[in-house]
Amino acid sequence: MAAPETIRSASRPHISISGVSKTFQGRQGPVQALQDINLSIEKGEFVSILGPSGCGKSTLLMLLSGLLPVTKGRIDVDKKHIDGPNADAGIVFQQDVLLEWRSALQNIMIQAEIRKSNIPEARERARQLLKMVSLTDFENSYPKELSGGMRQRVSICRALLHRPPLLLMDEPFGALDAMTRDQLQIDLLRLCSDNDMTVFFITHSITEAIFLSDRVVVMSPRPGRIERIIDIDLPRPRRLSMREDAKFIDYTRELTGIFKSLGVFREEY
Amino acid sequence: MTTTIAETTDDTVIVPKPNMLLRALMAVPPALWTLLVLISIWELSVQIGKVPAYILPAPSAIGAVFFNYWHRLLPNALVTLSEVLIGFIGAVVVGVPLAVMIVYSRAMEKAVYPLIVASQTVPKVAIAPLLLTWFGYGMTPKIVIVILLAFFPIVINSVMGLKSSSREMIYLARSMGASGLQTFWKFRLPQALPSIFAGLKLATVLSVIGAVVAEFIGADKGLGYLILIAGANFDITRQFASIILITLIGVLFFVTLEQMERFFIPWKARSNIAGEG
Ligand SMILES: Nc1ncnc2c1ncn2[C@@H]1O[C@H](COP(=O)(O)OP(=O)(O)OP(=O)(O)O)[C@@H](O)[C@H]1O
Ligand SMILES: [Mg+2]
């Protein structure tokens, strides 16, 4: 099944998650990670998942990517039933998962090698992406020679190389300093609108979720359920200064309130 | 040959430059100096103590044997070297694919792997006479013993290495739509290389031991055979010369593998250098 690279961007995913549950067979019996998740995501939409540690955010991402099977329910992406790895997606895992025998550039290029895309063209794009995350000088460095934040930035570039119509990100900016984080949030938003990407974005940060998203999905733990979905009605393109706007602060207050009522104080407060 | 301080660029402290000879001496690895000192002590004690050559020959006497006896030493060293190399390569050719099968097949892991591990309690030196009966007097039984000894660390370390790919790494491969073959060549094998090389280096040492011990048990060629013959003639000096040659083969073999490791695993080598600096 050799899918031509060119038509990819024309396919616009529309995600529907209906009645999805996930139970792991743990060592001490079954663990229900997710219970009856219903969510549908529009093409080009930016959706953030916000929730305390262990509530099943990463699990939901793994189900969406088709890397783990659902226990119950059904997931469709772009009208295609997900029952195996969805290679169209770009994934930033919670751990950077860099290959230690490859330089930063080669780590990004593995994406092109596996997909057998045009190598010189991909290398050109990989260098552009490295430039975007300010790692131009480190393209030949091995992962061991990079800091945690630099490693995560390389893994973001790897996820973007093949211009995925759907981007799945699991706390991609968690390891970054505040300033790099701000910059990358802006870069990410620009990339999304340029490429018409749909983004499923997991975060621990309320501010980050509001700043980036069209909708914020709040999850509650044990078993993971969707607690609330909040539309973020802020104009685009987003500007960093918007974080001081009254409306933005209202959203922050609202979300904090939800977490307080859930008895969760794990966020950055 | 005097260099003035002004000419040198890297000197920040004003110290007279050591001359060329001294600098060349300083470039010699410290371990060689230690060896030189030990040999000197040996030579001196034998000379001063007037130790008879049939108890402990002086290093100079051993050196003389190398010079006068090389036409016997060299062909026999080549025999031992061939046994070591062929056996080692045989162990790699059998061991690495077997490790791959064990990692990829549940059935193999359950049916074969425990037996391989258990077989290690069989003393291979003790079955050497048996191999002689089966394979005759020539190089074959020696090669088989080398394979039997070298094979185990190669299999064990390769299995460990191939299993060390994290679950996340396999997820990453699958998320790109990697085929089984791509996952092996681009993810699992490179990840396993450091461990495989650790096994190979262990195997070099065992290969040399295997070849020599096999020659002890029954041979008409090889350095192990020379040691036996020299012993029968009470020629300790020739025994020493043979032992030194065996050691040399072992060291060269090991160093070659370390160089190959540096070549195949440059990411490791680089970080080591950084660590030492
Ligand atoms: N492979 C697995 N086997 C068994 N249990 C698992 C497995 N993966 C996750 N779990 C369980 O599922 C629950 C949800 O885990 P998940 O990793 O999705 O949480 P998370 O919301 O991403 O947390 P964090 O914010 O800390 O990353 C946890 O209770 C965890 O113990
Ligand atoms: Mg997680």
Side-chain angles (χ1 to χ4, degrees):
Chain A
M1 211 185 78
E5 205 67 31
T6 42
I7 318 173
R8 279 273 168 72
S9 52
S11 67
R12 318 183 96 211
H14 164 85
I15 301 168
S16 114
I17 304 170
S18 44
V20 164
S21 299
K22 178 70 187 178
T23 306
F24 288 105
Q25 293 308 326
R27 238 173 281 259
Q28 294 106 3
V31 181
Q32 181 155 30
L34 293 171
Q35 189 182 46
D36 194 30
I37 303 289
N38 290 288
L39 179 67
S40 98
I41 299 173
E42 295 298 312
K43 308 151 197 171
E45 199 179 8
F46 198 119
V47 173
S48 287
I49 307 292
L50 204 53
S53 181
C55 73
K57 304 183 295 295
S58 298
T59 305
L60 186 55
L61 180 138
M62 294 301 284
L63 297 180
L64 256 179
S65 65
L67 290 170
L68 289 179
V70 299
T71 309
K72 230 165 71 190
R74 181 188 171 93
I75 298 178
D76 294 84
V77 175
D78 206 16
K79 299 213 169 64
K80 210 178 94 216
H81 182 205
I82 296 296
D83 54 1
N86 174 12
D88 282 351
I91 307 177
V92 181
F93 293 93
Q94 193 160 4
Q95 296 93 342
D96 50 60
V97 211
L98 294 187
L99 310 178
E100 63 163 329
W101 56 92
R102 285 171 168 256
S103 68
L105 184 70
Q106 289 169 334
N107 257 291
I108 302 172
M109 287 300 291
I110 184 127
Q111 186 79 257
E113 291 169 29
I114 298 291
R115 292 169 193 276
K116 301 202 162 64
S117 24
N118 182 325
I119 295 294
E121 210 175 278
R123 191 174 297 120
E124 186 61 31
R125 176 162 165 84
R127 291 216 165 94
Q128 277 171 17
L129 287 167
L130 277 171
K131 190 172 172 209
M132 178 192 89
V133 298
S134 333
L135 285 179
T136 300
D137 294 340
F138 293 90
E139 68 167 58
N140 293 320
S141 301
Y142 285 113
K144 272 196 179 149
E145 300 162 335
L146 301 175
S147 74
M150 291 158 110
R151 293 172 62 111
Q152 190 57 289
R153 278 181 271 164
V154 174
S155 86
I156 294 169
C157 296
R158 180 180 60 198
L160 291 169
L161 185 73
H162 59 299
R163 298 177 199 278
L166 169 63
L167 187 59
L168 307 173
M169 304 179 98
D170 197 345
E171 299 185 36
F173 305 151
L176 302 179
D177 62 285
M179 272 172 293
T180 313
R181 194 173 178 140
D182 287 352
Q183 184 58 53
L184 283 178
Q185 286 174 2
I186 292 166
D187 291 332
L188 176 63
L189 287 178
R190 199 191 60 237
L191 269 166
C192 291
S193 63
D194 287 356
N195 295 304
D196 205 12
M197 265 191 302
T198 308
V199 187
F200 180 88
F201 188 96
I202 295 172
T203 176
H204 267 145
S205 158
I206 292 179
T207 316
E208 183 169 79
I210 300 170
F211 180 71
L212 294 170
S213 314
D214 299 309
R215 276 191 300 159
V216 176
V217 176
V218 180
M219 288 183 64
S220 63
R222 256 168 296 274
R225 273 167 288 117
I226 293 184
E227 182 68 27
R228 190 93 72 84
I229 301 178
I230 293 179
D231 289 300
I232 305 296
D233 187 19
L234 293 170
R236 290 195 187 265
R238 302 272 162 92
R239 295 274 172 261
L240 286 173
S241 59
M242 287 180 186
R243 294 188 298 200
E244 281 101 61
D245 289 357
K247 212 166 170 185
F248 196 104
I249 292 166
D250 284 345
Y251 285 129
T252 313
R253 202 171 288 135
E254 186 178 356
L255 283 163
T256 314
I258 296 172
F259 281 114
K260 274 189 183 146
S261 71
L262 284 173
V264 176
F265 296 100
R266 292 200 75 257
E267 305 298 335
E268 52 189 15
Y269 290 89
Chain B
M1 262 293 329
T2 49
T3 49
T4 63
I5 291 158
E7 272 172 17
T8 61
T9 49
D10 58 339
D11 252 6
T12 44
V13 190
I14 304 189
V15 176
K17 271 260 146 196
N19 65 39
M20 296 291 276
L21 182 69
L22 207 62
R23 255 205 273 177
L25 290 179
M26 279 161 64
V28 177
L32 280 187
W33 287 118
T34 316
L35 195 64
L36 211 67
V37 169
L38 288 176
I39 291 173
S40 309
I41 294 173
W42 178 0
E43 179 79 40
L44 279 176
S45 6
V46 172
Q47 300 278 359
I48 293 167
K50 299 211 175 354
V51 182
Y54 58 83
I55 292 182
L56 183 66
S60 56
I62 298 169
V65 166
F66 271 116
F67 197 76
N68 299 322
Y69 195 55
W70 65 269
H71 58 282
R72 287 282 281 151
L73 287 172
L74 191 65
N76 284 293
L78 286 179
V79 168
T80 305
L81 183 64
S82 324
E83 290 162 0
V84 168
L85 285 182
I86 296 171
F88 177 82
I89 291 169
V92 174
V93 167
V94 178
V96 175
L98 190 68
V100 173
M101 283 192 272
I102 287 169
V103 170
Y104 272 85
S105 149
R106 260 283 152 78
M108 284 288 282
E109 183 176 8
K110 290 218 166 110
V112 177
Y113 197 51
L115 293 187
I116 292 176
V117 175
S119 72
Q120 282 314 294
T121 50
V122 178
K124 264 147 309 251
V125 176
I127 60 167
L130 202 60
L131 291 171
L132 237 69
T133 320
W134 290 341
F135 297 110
Y137 221 50
M139 274 171 75
T140 318
K142 285 100 197 173
I143 291 170
V144 172
I145 290 181
V146 171
I147 292 179
L148 286 179
L149 275 170
F151 161 84
F152 187 64
I154 295 177
V155 174
I156 297 288
N157 282 280
S158 303
V159 168
M160 263 170 40
L162 288 168
K163 279 190 171 178
S164 68
S165 299
S166 66
R167 189 162 30 160
E168 285 78 18
M169 190 183 288
I170 302 302
Y171 283 148
L172 173 72
R174 279 205 253 150
S175 78
M176 298 173 181
S179 66
L181 221 57
Q182 281 177 321
T183 308
F184 177 76
W185 285 111
K186 300 222 178 227
F187 295 85
R188 293 190 94 139
L189 188 63
Q191 172 77 25
L193 272 186
S195 182
I196 292 176
F197 264 98
L200 293 182
K201 287 199 288 190
L202 258 169
T204 60
V205 180
L206 291 174
S207 300
V208 176
I209 294 175
V212 173
V213 167
E215 285 170 358
F216 279 174
I217 286 161
D220 51 8
K221 283 192 278 299
L223 291 172
Y225 162 76
L226 272 196
I227 289 177
L228 282 191
I229 295 295
N233 295 328
F234 300 104
D235 194 339
I236 307 263
T237 319
R238 286 185 183 184
Q239 277 192 330
F240 263 99
S242 307
I243 292 169
I244 288 168
L245 271 183
I246 292 166
T247 313
L248 222 60
I249 289 175
V251 169
L252 280 179
F253 196 11
F254 190 84
V255 168
T256 308
L257 255 109
E258 286 223 304
Q259 289 307 314
M260 282 173 68
E261 186 179 26
R262 272 170 191 254
F263 177 78
F264 281 109
I265 317 181
W267 65 95
K268 273 271 151 68
R270 231 213 256 188
S271 71
N272 284 347
I273 290 162
E276 282 161 19

